[in-house]
Every structure is written in C-alpha cells, then in structure tokens.
Amino acid sequence: MNAREQYIAFMTILRKEVRRYTRIWTQTLLPSAITMSLYFVIFGSLVGSRIGEMGGFTYMQFVVPGLIMMAIVTNSYSNVVSSFFGSKFNNSIEELLVSPTPNYIILWGYIIGGVTRGLAVAVIVTGVALFFTQLSIHSFPVVIGIVTLTSVLFALAGFINAVFANSFDDISIVPTFVLTPLIYLGGVFYSLDLLPEFWRGVSQLNPLVYVVNAFRYGVLGVSDVSIEFAFAMIASFTVVAYLYCMHLLNSGTRLRQ
C-alpha cells in the first residue's frame, strides 16, 4: 500500500472507532460525567471541606487533576479493549488482518480511536469540575505531553487485554482487579507525603503515581515525584507496550485461527 492508501485505511478505522462510541454516547461519554460529578460532590465538597488544604491548595483543587486522569485512563483503555475484542469475537478482525493494510496502521487506528474518547471525556470532566472549583494551567506542555502519553499507553494496554481475552467477562478482569486498585492507590485522593516512608517507597512502584503527579504538576505546579523521571517512566512503558502490541499483530498470537 502506498502512503495515500495507508492514510485512507487509517482514517477508515479511526472513523469507525469514533462513530462507535459517539453513536452510544449515553453509555460511553455521559456516565463519566455523572460519576465524576459524584466524586466532586462527595470527596470535594463534603469530605474536602473537613480535610482543608493539601499541597497548598483546597482539597477540591488537589483531587481534580487526579480525577481527570482517572477518566482518561479508564476510557482510553475500555474503548480499545471492548472494540478490538468485539471485532475478534465476531471474526471480522480476520478480514482486516488478511488485507494489505500494514499492522501498524491497524494498531494506530484503534489506539487513536481510544485516545479521542479519552480526550473527549477529559474535556467533559474538566467542564464539570469548573462548576465546583477554579482551575488554571501551570504548564501547557506538561499537560499536553502527559495526557497524550497516558492515553496512548492505556489504549495499548487495552489492546493487549483484548488480544488475550477469551470472553467478554475477561475484558473486565484487568480493569476491576488491576486498574482500579492502581488508580485509587496512585495518589488521586492524597499526597504521598502523608504516607510513612516505607509505603511511600512502595507507592513509587505504581505507574499511576507518575501519571497523576505529572498531570497535577501541569495543572497546579506541585508534584510528589520528579517530573522528568515521571515522563521517562511513562514513555518507557508506552514504548514497551507498543512493541509488544506489534509483536502480537505480526505473530498473529491468539488472532489467527
């Protein structure tokens, strides 16, 4: 395929992915707005008023960046895992794999589809957050960089989960037993400075700690970890995940019968 044909193939996959979640926006976009509103009311207004300041900001301002990243992570992940597994389940992915479309075009079509949903939800959640508190961006390059890397990383993770899943129940195992605990223990609702030294060290093994703190730095200008190290860690995870996804596609692992 020449460059123009590859572009057409990529845009076809991307349009299919975008139309898929926008067509059922009440199931894909609206729930995040409702869920985050509940978080803002409970943890920001009710609990936060009793906690006071954290990191030099009101508790509501402190938790908002983490909640936005939570929405990006879960939606980028779930869009790819559900869409690709659905294609694998009904065997339509085989038609794509035997076509002349390069594997990296297939992968990026699904990944960017997940990224667009994560960004769409991020905009919605940010709009909801502005009803509860005031936000100002400390560093636009950090915000843009961390949002892009994070959404790509977890879209890739969703792709890996979809490849190895055998049933629709399997695609909910990782979000329930891995992703959710990592998010809640990633410093969304608290500062690592509140933890004892031992648990602070253990928390730094959690990749979501770097995601949440890097984005919090981009918004508020405060972080519990080094921003340079956080970007290096997230970029490394992204590269490894991408190479592994390409290996799965090139080898046809659990894709070709």
Side-chain angles (χ1 to χ4, degrees):
M1 299 179 71
N2 58 39
R4 180 175 179 276
E5 292 169 337
Q6 291 184 24
Y7 173 76
I8 293 173
F10 168 77
M11 291 304 298
T12 300
I13 298 172
L14 178 58
R15 279 197 297 267
K16 186 262 293 184
E17 289 298 293
V18 173
R19 289 177 179 175
R20 173 183 169 273
Y21 70 77
T22 54
R23 187 173 61 250
I24 52 173
W25 63 272
T26 54
Q27 302 175 40
T28 56
L29 303 180
L30 184 60
S32 295
I34 296 174
T35 302
M36 291 302 120
S37 297
L38 294 175
Y39 277 120
F40 293 143
V41 171
I42 296 172
F43 291 99
S45 299
L46 301 180
V47 177
S49 61
R50 290 168 172 77
I51 293 178
E53 290 190 353
M54 185 170 292
F57 297 89
T58 65
Y59 188 68
M60 172 67 84
Q61 291 175 315
F62 183 84
V63 300
V64 163
L67 293 174
I68 294 173
M69 289 310 297
M70 181 193 299
I72 293 174
V73 166
T74 55
N75 281 274
S76 298
Y77 184 96
S78 62
N79 191 76
V80 178
V81 70
S82 59
S83 178
F84 191 81
F85 178 76
S87 298
K88 190 178 78 166
F89 182 79
N90 60 31
N91 296 322
S92 63
I93 192 63
E94 295 179 359
E95 299 175 1
L96 191 57
L97 293 175
V98 299
S99 72
T101 308
N103 287 334
Y104 72 89
I105 294 293
I106 297 174
L107 179 60
W108 277 110
Y110 279 95
I111 297 311
I112 300 303
V115 170
T116 59
R117 176 174 164 182
L119 295 180
V121 171
V123 171
I124 294 172
V125 172
T126 302
V128 172
L130 293 177
F131 284 101
F132 296 91
T133 187
Q134 294 181 343
L135 293 175
S136 59
I137 304 299
H138 174 74
S139 173
F140 277 101
V142 171
V143 168
I144 295 171
I146 198 65
V147 166
T148 302
L149 278 175
T150 301
S151 53
V152 170
L153 172 60
F154 285 93
L156 289 166
F159 185 89
I160 296 171
N161 188 182
V163 170
F164 285 96
N166 293 316
S167 67
F168 283 98
D169 290 334
D170 291 341
I171 67 176
S172 64
I173 291 176
V174 173
T176 302
F177 296 103
V178 178
L179 203 54
T180 299
L182 289 179
I183 289 174
Y184 280 94
L185 296 175
V188 173
F189 300 104
Y190 58 87
S191 171
L192 297 186
D193 293 336
L194 299 177
L195 300 176
E197 184 175 351
F198 173 77
W199 291 110
R200 191 183 311 151
V202 172
S203 296
Q204 292 180 3
L205 300 176
N206 182 353
L208 269 301
V209 166
Y210 304 100
V211 169
V212 171
N213 277 277
F215 187 70
R216 183 173 287 138
Y217 176 83
V219 176
L220 302 179
V222 296
S223 174
D224 295 328
V225 298
S226 166
I227 300 302
E228 293 79 9
F229 185 68
F231 267 95
M233 289 289 290
I234 299 168
S236 299
F237 283 127
T238 303
V239 170
V240 170
Y242 177 77
L243 294 176
Y244 187 58
C245 287
M246 285 302 301
H247 166 72
L248 293 175
L249 280 174
N250 292 331
S251 63
T253 302
R254 302 180 72 91
L255 294 175
R256 294 186 174 93
Q257 301 300 326

